[in-house]
Amino acid sequence: MKKQKLLNQAIFNLLFIFVCMLVIIPFVLVVSASLSSEKDIVEYGYQIIPKNLDLSAYRYIFKNPKSIINAYKITFLFSVIYTFLSTLLMSMLAHMLSKRNLKGKSFFAFYIYFTMLFSGGLVPTYILNTQMLHLDDTIWIYIVPSLITPWYVFLLRTFFQGIPYEINEAAVVDGANEYTIFLKIVLPLSKPALATVALFMFLGKWNDWYTSMLYINDESLISLQYLLQRIMQNIKLIQEASYDTSMLAETTEIPSETVRMAMAIVVAGPALVVFPFFQKYFVKGLTVGSVKG
Amino acid sequence: MNIKTPSVVRPKQAFYKSNNFQAYTIGAIPLLLIFIFNYLPMFGVIIAFKDYRFDKGIFGSEWVGLDNFKMFVSSNDFTRITINTLYLNAIFIAAGIISALIVAILLYEIKSRNATKVYQTLLITPHFLSWVVVSYMAYAFLHPSYGLVNSVIGMFGAEPVDWYSKPEAWPLILTIASVWKHVGMDSVIYYASMMGIDNSLYEVADIEGANAWQKTRYVTLPSLVPLISVLTILKIGSIFRADFGLFYQLTRDIGALYDATDVIDTYIFRTMRVVGDMGVSSAVGLMQSLVGFVLVMLTNYVSKKIEPDNALF
């Protein structure tokens, strides 16, 4: 019986090792391609293990990394501002909704919930942002329109409702007003929930290419992911970004396949190293608190 | 949830009132943002009934009645993108739920906590990537001359395939990509729910001499049925919405693939951004929103019938 169990465990573990390998192969393939020489790719195709280690793709990118560094800066900037503001504003709204005895509470909950059921769609949103609010080609387009996500408002509300009401009452007896309660009691007691929501907001913004594609024409404001997207469409963009026109002659022999893959690593790598450390919070965000309107 | 809270703190009533007012002020800015960015565009759906021109604006543009809708419905695009959206999303839903369920059940069988953690972390990693990065991975697999897939089938003597001009392969490619990206995160929900199953059920099964498969079949699965049905129903409620990034980035927006990969969301985007027809694009968007709305209401009604606790509202 015991032997049988051990055998079962071995089989299940082997199975998972196999599945995990399948999941990881795309990563390995891209890393390996970025470390190959262009000649090997042309000759043998993309390989799981590089035939010869060759760092020239990275050297090529880092020769003049201006556009990448700029995209990193912009993306980091709007992601941080966005994460801070959206987490704060959503918890403000969630706090209001979590108040007991608040008049019109169910109306407000419905007001928020309805936006999950029906939306004006792409065209009206686009016209609002570009023709009326003139947010296009500014950094605010990344931040302002998407500050409130109803789903997370309800998640935070559920969490806030779990804070013992006695604390609230005691604070009121001591003369605290609503602002003090929110800032000094609710927020500090909700750190895990706030961290979870903040991480989801940050991840979503960090991976944003859609906003740039729709609203940004100014090269200096495009996001990291959109830069990567455009390099997929046109590898020459790397040349334009990294070379003066006087050096154009040199750029004819661009190692396009390996540079492409190296770009993907430069863009996705740092996030891939950092995000898994916060996996605990991501998992929590899925399982904590049901969403009920 | 309709229990009235007894008002035992009557002397403090006035105090609570002023606190209520302050609570409104805290919620005011977010509520205003929702009005501007969610409700104002809803009024913008009138564009669907106009021949919108940027120079004339929403109110200056001419009314054209249902012309935009007629134009779209009578075109070939209508059937194509509707069928593609429904068909592909149906496959994604089925493949997504089955794969997540299998992973969760198998993960539950593994006794070592550390091993479980490692597997989970690895399976979740794709979730952190944008579709842009995934499109690079797909490119490395599918490149007509250098791609890994062609190298592998070449070893068995098959001719290389130009995947980016072969629409019939793409339902499968997109399904694999979708499952690959979501299976880790999706399985977490089932796994968490399995942790909550009453252990005594398994003990009884052990005494009765049930094997692992029987325990899965007669204890685990039945306990998960409510969750599975609710998640399925929720997904069916949004079956009219396609994951724009998946369809736009992985296919690299290549026209030769539209037959199999053009869906409502990519069509709306292209009609607006490339064709520049705001009226038709907005009409398609409005139809999508309305059908989506009806579907959510319907599925919510059904899930309320099955399991009142799990209905959304």
Side-chain angles (χ1 to χ4, degrees):
Chain A
M1 198 63 192
K2 216 169 190 179
K3 247 187 194 160
Q4 176 67 36
K5 268 190 178 152
L6 267 176
L7 186 71
N8 273 344
Q9 282 300 304
I11 292 172
F12 283 128
N13 276 292
L14 276 175
L15 194 70
F16 263 99
I17 290 168
F18 177 70
V19 171
C20 286
M21 268 164 60
L22 281 184
V23 168
I24 286 170
I25 279 180
F27 294 89
V28 178
L29 189 62
V30 172
V31 172
S32 140
S34 74
L35 294 171
S36 303
S37 71
E38 190 73 10
K39 209 180 101 241
D40 284 348
I41 298 267
V42 171
E43 198 162 333
Y44 308 106
Y46 290 110
Q47 301 279 320
I48 300 282
I49 299 153
K51 285 250 184 305
N52 303 295
L53 265 188
D54 187 338
L55 291 173
S56 53
Y58 289 97
R59 245 179 263 129
Y60 188 91
I61 291 175
F62 286 115
K63 217 187 269 175
N64 193 341
K66 224 165 54 194
S67 61
I68 300 166
I69 290 177
N70 187 54
Y72 253 106
K73 266 193 215 152
I74 286 285
T75 309
F76 191 75
L77 183 69
F78 70 65
S79 299
V80 168
I81 299 176
Y82 172 79
T83 304
F84 175 77
L85 283 180
S86 74
T87 312
L88 178 69
L89 286 163
M90 289 196 296
S91 33
M92 283 161 70
L93 190 52
H95 177 66
M96 188 189 99
L97 288 178
S98 73
K99 284 279 295 175
R100 288 191 192 181
N101 308 323
L102 187 84
K103 266 211 181 105
K105 202 165 73 170
S106 55
F107 165 76
F108 289 121
F110 179 76
Y111 171 84
I112 299 162
Y113 191 75
F114 186 71
T115 63
M116 286 167 83
L117 299 176
F118 189 80
S119 78
L122 178 65
V123 174
T125 310
Y126 181 80
I127 290 175
L128 175 76
N129 287 336
T130 58
Q131 306 296 307
M132 299 177 179
L133 301 173
H134 298 289
L135 290 170
D136 50 332
D137 268 337
T138 68
I139 193 168
W140 300 110
I141 188 66
Y142 293 110
I143 300 167
V144 184
S146 48
L147 280 171
I148 313 289
T149 310
W151 182 268
Y152 294 114
V153 173
F154 289 118
L155 191 143
L156 284 170
R157 184 198 60 172
T158 310
F159 193 90
F160 292 171
Q161 280 171 341
I163 298 173
Y165 197 62
E166 289 72 24
I167 301 181
N168 196 324
E169 275 177 342
V172 171
V173 170
D174 285 344
N177 62 26
E178 202 56 41
Y179 309 118
T180 326
I181 292 173
F182 175 64
L183 289 172
K184 296 275 164 70
I185 296 172
V186 174
L187 286 188
L189 285 177
S190 312
K191 273 181 201 148
L194 294 175
T196 301
V197 170
L199 271 168
F200 271 102
M201 303 325 279
F202 188 85
L203 176 71
K205 250 325 126 172
W206 184 261
N207 281 339
D208 183 5
W209 43 272
Y210 190 67
T211 311
S212 301
M213 184 167 83
L214 260 187
Y215 296 107
I216 302 287
N217 295 310
D218 182 350
E219 281 299 312
S220 63
L221 282 176
I222 65 173
S223 70
L224 195 58
Q225 303 291 335
Y226 186 59
L227 178 71
L228 189 66
Q229 181 192 332
R230 299 225 334 232
I231 286 170
M232 171 57 93
Q233 290 157 353
N234 184 2
I235 189 75
K236 293 213 177 69
L237 281 171
I238 288 188
Q239 296 177 323
E240 279 161 27
S242 0
Y243 282 90
D244 296 329
T245 37
S246 57
M247 293 167 76
L248 257 180
E250 206 180 315
T251 65
T252 43
E253 38 180 333
I254 172 169
S256 59
E257 298 303 321
T258 52
V259 167
R260 262 211 184 97
M261 294 302 146
M263 261 310 284
I265 297 298
V266 170
V267 167
L272 270 183
V273 174
V274 174
F275 282 126
F277 283 104
F278 297 99
Q279 195 204 331
K280 189 175 82 182
Y281 291 101
F282 285 110
V283 169
K284 227 185 241 161
L286 285 178
T287 48
V288 161
S290 68
V291 183
K292 272 211 141 188
Chain B
M1 288 306 283
N2 285 323
I3 308 157
K4 291 244 162 64
T5 22
S7 42
V8 277
V9 277
R10 204 156 278 141
K12 293 259 184 269
Q13 210 65 287
F15 212 87
Y16 275 112
K17 266 209 179 108
S18 84
N19 270 24
N20 266 347
F21 173 74
Q22 289 165 354
Y24 291 129
T25 62
I26 291 178
I29 297 174
L31 288 172
L32 183 69
L33 282 169
I34 291 180
F35 180 78
I36 296 174
F37 291 104
N38 294 95
Y39 281 92
L40 282 186
M42 286 185 205
F43 299 112
V45 297
I46 57 165
I47 296 167
F49 306 96
K50 291 194 162 208
D51 177 22
Y52 182 82
R53 290 193 25 200
F54 278 97
D55 51 333
K56 291 184 178 164
I58 293 182
F59 301 107
S61 295
E62 250 173 84
W63 289 97
V64 292
L66 292 174
D67 280 6
N68 290 325
F69 293 90
K70 278 183 201 148
M71 196 143 94
F72 169 62
V73 172
S74 61
S75 72
N76 295 331
D77 304 331
F78 174 67
T79 10
R80 181 182 64 178
I81 65 171
T82 312
I83 289 177
N84 277 348
T85 310
L86 291 176
Y87 165 66
L88 291 172
N89 268 340
I91 298 180
F92 295 168
I93 293 172
I97 286 175
I98 292 170
S99 59
L101 206 54
I102 291 175
V103 167
I105 288 172
L106 291 178
L107 207 56
Y108 192 68
E109 292 295 326
I110 285 174
K111 297 290 171 271
S112 155
R113 289 284 131 242
N114 287 333
T116 314
K117 270 228 168 80
V118 172
Y119 300 146
Q120 232 174 11
T121 306
L122 287 175
L123 290 173
I124 287 175
T125 336
H127 179 79
F128 300 124
L129 296 173
S130 74
W131 282 119
V132 180
V133 177
V134 181
S135 81
Y136 274 72
M137 295 174 165
Y139 178 83
F141 275 97
L142 302 174
H143 191 287
S145 357
Y146 316 137
L148 187 67
V149 175
N150 276 351
S151 311
V152 171
I153 62 172
M155 280 195 287
F156 297 102
E159 289 291 308
V161 180
D162 185 0
W163 299 103
Y164 286 103
S165 58
K166 202 175 160 62
E168 49 295 12
W170 280 83
L172 179 65
I173 295 170
L174 293 174
T175 308
I176 292 172
S178 170
V179 167
W180 174 78
K181 195 158 190 285
H182 298 304
V183 70
M185 268 302 189
D186 286 356
S187 66
V188 165
I189 301 172
Y190 294 112
Y191 188 74
S193 161
M194 283 158 68
M195 287 306 196
I197 298 174
D198 189 354
N199 224 355
S200 58
L201 292 173
Y202 290 107
E203 279 160 19
V204 172
D206 275 335
I207 294 168
E208 301 281 338
N211 62 28
W213 162 246
Q214 284 166 327
K215 276 189 275 187
T216 307
R217 170 70 187 77
Y218 296 104
V219 180
T220 315
L221 276 180
S223 321
L224 291 178
V225 164
L227 181 67
I228 297 169
S229 50
V230 166
L231 287 182
T232 313
I233 286 166
L234 279 181
K235 286 194 170 159
I236 292 174
S238 57
I239 198 165
F240 242 66
R241 297 198 176 281
D243 185 344
F244 181 80
L246 169 65
F247 289 95
Y248 186 81
Q249 299 291 0
L250 250 68
T251 64
R252 294 160 64 214
D253 198 27
I254 287 174
L257 299 177
Y258 283 165
D259 268 347
T261 64
D262 199 17
V263 287
I264 299 176
D265 295 79
T266 48
Y267 184 82
I268 291 174
F269 174 80
R270 210 173 51 246
T271 315
M272 180 181 108
R273 219 48 225 283
V274 184
V275 185
D277 194 333
M278 308 301 266
V280 170
S281 179
S282 152
V284 182
L286 180 57
M287 283 166 79
Q288 185 190 35
S289 275
L290 283 176
V291 176
F293 179 74
V294 172
L295 274 177
V296 173
M297 294 315 249
L298 214 66
T299 48
N300 187 63
Y301 174 78
V302 175
S303 84
K304 216 175 211 166
K305 281 266 136 84
I306 299 174
E307 185 81 45
D309 276 350
N310 285 323
L312 269 177
F313 48 87

